[in-house]
Structure formats: C-alpha cells, structure tokens
Amino acid sequence: MDSLLIKGGVPLHGEVTISGAKNAVLPILAATLLTPEECVIRNVPDLSDVKFMGKILESLGAEVALDGDTMTVKSGRLKGVGDYELIRKMRGSICILGPLLARLHKAKVSLPGGCVIGARPVDLHLKGLKALGAKIKIESGYVTATAPKLIGGDIFLGGRVGPTVLGTANIMMAATLAEGITIIESAACEPEVVDLAEFLNAMGARIHGAGGPTITITGVKELHGAQHAVIPDRIEAATFAIVAAVTKGEVTLNNVRAEHLQAVLDKLRDAGVKWERRGTSLLVKGARRLKPVDVTTLPYPGFPTDVQAQMMVLMALAPGISIITERIFEARFMHVPELGRLGAEISVEGPSAIVKGGAPLSGAPVMASDLRASAALVIAGLVAKGTTQVHRIYHLDRGYEKIDEKLRALGARVERVPGE
Ligand code: UD1
C-alpha cells in the first residue's frame, strides 16, 4: 500500500484547480441508469471511487468510456442484480437502487459494508422506496426491491440526525419515473442534491425545490440522454483553504463555488484567516496567529462533517481551547489518536473533541483510517516539524484527485512512496 512522505514547515503558495465533486458525480453516474440513451458527464474527477462506480455500472451491463475528465455512459440493456462484492465495498453505490428499481421494476443490491466513521444505516432509503410502492426484502446481505409500478407519494425523509444526502438522491431518482407527484419533506439541501436534480431535469425529469427541504417531483414516462458538468468539490476546496491557512501561505483556489463554502469560510474568518472571492476563484491567506474557534457539524448549509477532521488540525495550531462537536457521524474521531502522535492535544468527550491548541507539531509515522481523516493527517504533516509518513493513503485516492501532485505544485515537499 502506498504512503505519503511529507517534510513539513513550508508555506504553500500558488494556484490550485479544484476538481469535480466526488459526492456529486457518484449519484449522477447512478442516474445514467435511468435511460437507455447516452449520457455525457464532464468535470469528472480522477478518483478511485469514480472508477469503481464505472465498474459497477459495467457490471450491470452499461457501456462506460472515460476520456480525460469526460465519462460517457450508455445503459442500453441492464441486469437488475449488481455485483455483490463491488457494491459492498463502496457506500455511495447504494444510490443505484432507486434508478434500477425505477427502470427495471426490480433491483437486487448488496447492502453497503460497514464504515469506520460510524453506523451507516439505509433505513431511510428503504422507507422512501416503500412509500413509492416498492416491496423490500433483505436476505443474505442483499436488498431486493420490487415494484411493478412506482406511485408518487408524500415522503418524510428526516432521520435521527436530520436529512440523508444519498437517501434524498435515491428517492428523487426513483420518483422521476413514478406515476404522479412525489413530495419529499426534510430533504437534504446539499449542493450535490441540487447538481443531481439539474442533471435529472436535463434528462427530462420534472423536479422543483432541490436545495430546500421540500422537493417536488412530477413523474414522467421516460428520461432521455443528457450532458452535464459536475460542480466543483466543496470539500476539496475547503481542504486546500485550510492547507493555505495553516501553512501560513497564500493560495488561489480556482474552479470554486464559494457560495457552497459559506460555513467553512465563516469559521476560517473567525480563526483569523483572510480570504477573498474573485469570481470563481478564492484567495486564501494564512493568519500569522490563528484564533481558537468552536464548530458543530450539521447538515448543509451548516459546517460539513467532511471538513471536521481537517478543521481540527487548524484548531490544534490555534493557541487556546477550541471545541468541535460532531452531529452527523458520532464515531468520526478516528484521526484524534493519530493527530496525538504528531503532538496535538485533543480529548474526546462524547460527540465533542476538546482541542488544546498551540503545541508545536512534530512529524511521525501515522495511519490513515478514512478519507477525510487522511486529509487531516496530510495537513498536519505539512505543518509538523520533520517528516511525517501517512500510511494507507488509498483512502485519500478515493476522494482527492492527485493530491500529492497538487500539493507539490504549491511548493510542498510531498512524495508518494509505493507500497510493497
Ligand atoms: C453523504 C456523503 C458523505 C457525507 C454525508 C453527510 C456521498 C457519497 N457521501 O453520505 O461524504 O459525510 O453525506 O454529509 O455523498 N442515516 C440514517 N438512515 C439512513 C441514512 C442515513 O439514519 O437511511 C443517518 C447516517 O447514519 C448519518 C446521517 O443520517 O448519521 C447522515 O447520513 P447521510 O446524509 O445519509 O450520509 P450519506 O448520504 O451516506
């Protein structure tokens, strides 16, 4: 397994182009299953999760071609049973269930595997599909959904901790081909849901209200092929903004939708980081002295759980006490002991991490446990004195396009060490 060797202490300068959003492209690729016609998706990030989704679509019978950042999918004839092992490995693959059911009236998909960031149930996805008239059976690790006809209805999708992003995507996709009108209440408001709705509407769907808590979908008989460019990745942008901030550098992020980053930018400003919007670019300047801040992760437009780990590094460097409270995935603190190896003083009390900031970080070998935790370790390594080796960076490659190359272009001393 590859690792990253980082020699810290260099302020990063220059420009970086943000790639297409992982969490937008995965459901959009699933949506291509809704039509037998060709779909062309642009601004597709070069990520292992995306390649994986391509393989899943192929295993269902779709023709998939990738040319640079453009992916073409034609789902002429489809099988309703996905490859058990492929699907089990990636959480995002659950969103093929809705489109397959809508198109083929029957779908059999393996339940997505467990994940280190906490319990990730799919009860809300299943509740939504049932409300559209599907019969659901769980057997031998598979979910089987059948519905000779999907019928629109009113669906409340709020869960224990609020809305569900992929659940909203799944139900929205299934409802596009249902008979009549579907109203999703307590829908996820994330920009990735809006991007999916825009693609579906380009395919001929009739969706209103995406981006707000009530989404109305008027079913249509069929969808056709369409083209779409994926939105920029707000989590990658936030990660690079934090990199610029903590290394005391000055970085221009290109291809950014700053309006998708308000909660993060607001907290960065509170922490003393200066930033400036320039059209689709964002200039971020590191603060000479960071200030402590308190953060609670919440559904959009709140502070994203996917930036919690990276923000914790900034807090560890700000002299004083910062508190970060995780409201979306309760067990998402796997990075805390690893950051501790670098010298960060963090203690976890229930859903909160208390960060005693200001202690200098020094390099050490650390182990990446999940995607965003890996990003946090890389950021910490960029600041730490000496050398940090981040092991198991396959997590990083799932969600950050060429992160080592992008960091090197900004002056970072980062090297990928191939694993045995
Ligand atoms: C998506 C993102 C992930 C992000 C998360 C929250 C993708 C591929 N992944 O994951 O990066 O961290 O949104 O912003 O887009 N829940 C239930 N029942 C369900 C579904 C979810 O109780 O049926 C709970 C989850 O356990 C969690 C919360 O709802 O506590 C939010 O999860 P959800 O929004 O569904 O996350 P994902 O869509 O899986």
Side-chain angles (χ1 to χ4, degrees):
M1 278 181 246
D2 291 3
S3 61
L4 273 193
L5 207 59
I6 307 167
K7 289 192 178 134
V10 183
L12 300 195
H13 287 275
E15 297 190 19
V16 62
T17 299
I18 302 303
S19 304
K22 170 180 90 74
N23 288 353
V25 75
L26 294 177
I28 285 172
L29 289 174
T32 63
L33 294 169
L34 285 161
T35 174
E37 294 182 16
E38 185 176 277
C39 295
V40 180
I41 315 299
R42 299 209 172 80
N43 202 29
V44 172
D46 180 6
L47 302 172
S48 60
D49 266 11
V50 172
K51 294 200 180 100
F52 213 73
M53 190 56 140
K55 280 199 194 132
I56 290 174
L57 298 181
E58 277 174 346
S59 84
L60 292 163
E63 291 164 44
V64 180
L66 183 64
D67 179 13
D69 69 354
T70 301
M71 199 178 250
T72 308
V73 185
K74 189 169 188 302
S75 307
R77 281 173 68 86
L78 285 180
K79 298 187 282 185
V81 185
D83 181 300
Y84 185 90
E85 281 307 317
L86 274 180
I87 296 170
R88 199 176 59 85
K89 281 189 194 139
M90 187 173 75
R91 168 80 192 173
S93 57
I94 187 68
C95 57
I96 63 173
L97 187 60
L100 277 182
L101 176 65
R103 171 103 181 265
L104 303 175
H105 311 291
K106 182 168 177 165
K108 191 172 169 188
V109 170
S110 50
L111 280 165
C115 180
V116 292
I117 68 174
R120 298 188 77 171
V122 292
D123 55 313
L124 296 169
H125 297 241
L126 304 184
K127 175 184 167 186
L129 293 178
K130 276 186 203 158
L132 293 175
K135 289 215 161 43
I136 306 280
K137 213 168 67 185
I138 296 183
E139 219 170 44
S140 317
Y142 279 101
V143 183
T144 307
T146 39
K149 193 156 89 174
L150 290 175
I151 298 175
D154 292 354
I155 306 172
F156 181 78
L157 266 193
R160 195 173 51 82
V161 298
T164 160
V165 179
L166 289 176
T168 302
N170 231 339
I171 306 314
M172 201 163 75
M173 289 190 277
T176 56
L177 294 178
E179 199 180 284
I181 295 176
T182 300
I183 298 177
I184 305 177
E185 293 288 1
S186 194
C189 303
E190 269 68 2
E192 292 76 17
V193 172
V194 179
D195 206 34
L196 173 65
E198 281 176 11
F199 175 55
L200 290 167
N201 283 342
M203 294 171 81
R206 292 175 60 198
I207 302 173
H208 294 279
T214 306
I215 301 179
T216 307
I217 305 127
T218 307
V220 295
K221 284 229 151 41
E222 56 186 18
L223 296 177
H224 51 75
Q227 305 207 0
H228 184 76
V230 177
I231 52 168
D233 196 312
R234 63 194 168 99
I235 308 300
E236 188 196 14
T239 303
F240 274 97
I242 294 173
V243 163
V246 297
T247 63
K248 300 189 168 54
E250 193 171 317
V251 176
T252 301
L253 281 55
N254 295 324
N255 191 31
V256 172
R257 297 267 295 262
E259 67 273 24
H260 294 165
L261 284 164
Q262 289 303 334
V264 175
L265 293 177
D266 190 57
K267 284 293 169 191
L268 288 180
R269 183 171 278 154
D270 288 351
V273 178
K274 294 205 164 51
W275 52 264
E276 216 178 283
R277 273 175 85 155
R278 291 181 179 167
T280 55
S281 294
L282 184 74
L283 172 69
V284 184
K285 291 184 196 174
R288 207 165 296 148
R289 193 181 155 87
L290 292 164
K291 290 186 262 182
V293 281
D294 293 340
V295 168
T296 300
T297 65
L298 288 169
Y300 190 85
F303 194 95
T305 172
D306 286 351
V307 187
Q308 180 250 106
Q310 302 90 311
M311 194 68 183
M312 196 180 282
V313 179
L314 183 146
M315 293 171 166
L317 296 163
I321 303 282
S322 296
I323 299 177
I324 197 154
T325 303
E326 175 56 59
R327 290 274 176 233
I328 310 293
F329 295 112
E330 61 280 1
R332 199 172 201 178
F333 285 128
M334 304 292 287
H335 41 285
V336 169
E338 296 306 296
L339 289 175
R341 284 176 199 274
L342 301 176
E345 291 182 43
I346 306 165
S347 59
V348 175
E349 297 282 345
S352 297
I354 295 140
V355 187
K356 216 163 134 191
L361 302 185
S362 57
V366 285
M367 193 75 83
S369 57
D370 72 69
L371 172 55
R372 307 304 171 186
S374 318
L377 295 175
V378 171
I379 297 173
L382 290 169
V383 185
K385 204 163 161 236
T387 303
T388 297
Q389 186 160 15
V390 184
H391 292 278
R392 294 202 185 160
I393 52 154
Y394 60 88
H395 291 293
L396 213 51
D397 295 331
R398 285 185 38 222
Y400 288 93
E401 178 173 292
K402 300 187 178 79
I403 188 164
D404 45 336
E405 286 177 30
K406 288 188 181 184
L407 288 171
R408 265 198 304 276
L410 295 172
R413 291 177 296 179
V414 176
E415 202 187 309
R416 185 177 284 255
V417 183
E420 61 283 351

